[in-house]
Amino acid sequence: VTSLSRVTRSALDAESITRGQGAAVGSVVCVETHNSEQTIPWVIGEVVSAAHTAPADSVPYDSANDAVHYEPVRVGESVLSVMLYEPLAPGSTTYSLSDVTVLVPARRVRIAGVELKVLRSNRSPRFAIEAESLRAIRAEMRTSDDSFTVEAVVQYRSYYRKEQWLLK
């Protein structure tokens, strides 16, 4: 890990803490999982309790029992309690609200205010991420180690004053 990556990560974490502390109860947030998580880079969840200080460290990750590797919570840091949305299949943009609630560090909140549309509203409601929110999530999420090599710029555009690059 270089000093540049530490500075970049701390700046990213500072912005995320601000987002996490501003997330209202009942709103939907996108949370980045642990850097070593191979299958699920991010999850979405409904904020159950607003940002507060963690009373204790979280239990260490156990690959035998834990399905997803989340960033550990440290005592005294700002955290949110989030009820997770589960995708219908890996990579799906259709979700259902689960009964799983996790405590996540505010520094891992990448998008606050994710908009969902209701696809089905019966006993087991289904939700889909709105197109603009999905674009925001994809634009915000980094590679697993925040570094990559660009071979060529394939396409560039400015979309609602946000630069978008298609890289090879």
Side-chain angles (χ1 to χ4, degrees):
V1 176
T2 65
S3 60
L4 177 61
S5 65
R6 281 192 293 272
V7 169
T8 305
R9 177 55 69 179
S10 66
L12 182 63
D13 287 350
E15 293 170 7
S16 295
I17 289 170
T18 303
R19 275 187 231 118
Q21 290 175 338
V25 173
S27 67
V28 179
V29 294
C30 173
V31 178
E32 184 178 13
T33 58
H34 193 275
N35 290 340
S36 66
E37 173 61 46
Q38 297 294 312
T39 56
I40 304 171
W42 52 270
V43 295
I44 60 171
E46 184 175 314
V47 178
V48 176
S49 69
H52 59 280
T53 304
D57 289 340
S58 62
V59 178
Y61 173 70
D62 179 13
S63 60
N65 295 326
D66 300 330
V68 178
H69 189 182
Y70 296 100
E71 188 72 21
V73 171
R74 297 180 286 226
V75 66
E77 79 175 325
S78 182
V79 294
L80 296 147
S81 184
V82 176
M83 184 178 292
L84 298 178
Y85 282 91
E86 293 182 5
L88 295 184
S92 174
T93 57
T94 303
Y95 295 85
S96 63
L97 187 60
S98 72
D99 58 351
V100 177
T101 302
V102 294
L103 196 63
V104 296
R107 62 186 155 81
R108 300 304 276 192
V109 174
R110 294 299 178 241
I111 302 291
V114 174
E115 296 293 327
L116 299 178
K117 60 182 171 186
V118 178
L119 299 176
R120 187 174 81 186
S121 60
N122 57 7
R123 281 186 318 152
S124 58
R126 301 278 191 253
F127 304 90
I129 300 174
E130 290 282 352
E132 188 62 31
S133 290
L134 188 57
R135 278 194 289 275
I137 291 170
R138 289 179 176 158
E140 182 66 28
M141 295 308 299
R142 310 291 195 252
T143 60
S144 62
D145 63 357
D146 286 344
S147 65
F148 52 89
T149 304
V150 176
E151 293 178 20
V153 177
V154 178
Q155 185 180 10
Y156 167 81
R157 70 177 180 173
S158 179
Y159 188 72
Y160 291 106
R161 287 186 260 159
K162 287 190 178 186
E163 294 182 331
Q164 295 181 341
W165 302 78
L166 178 58
L167 307 173
K168 178 179 177 192

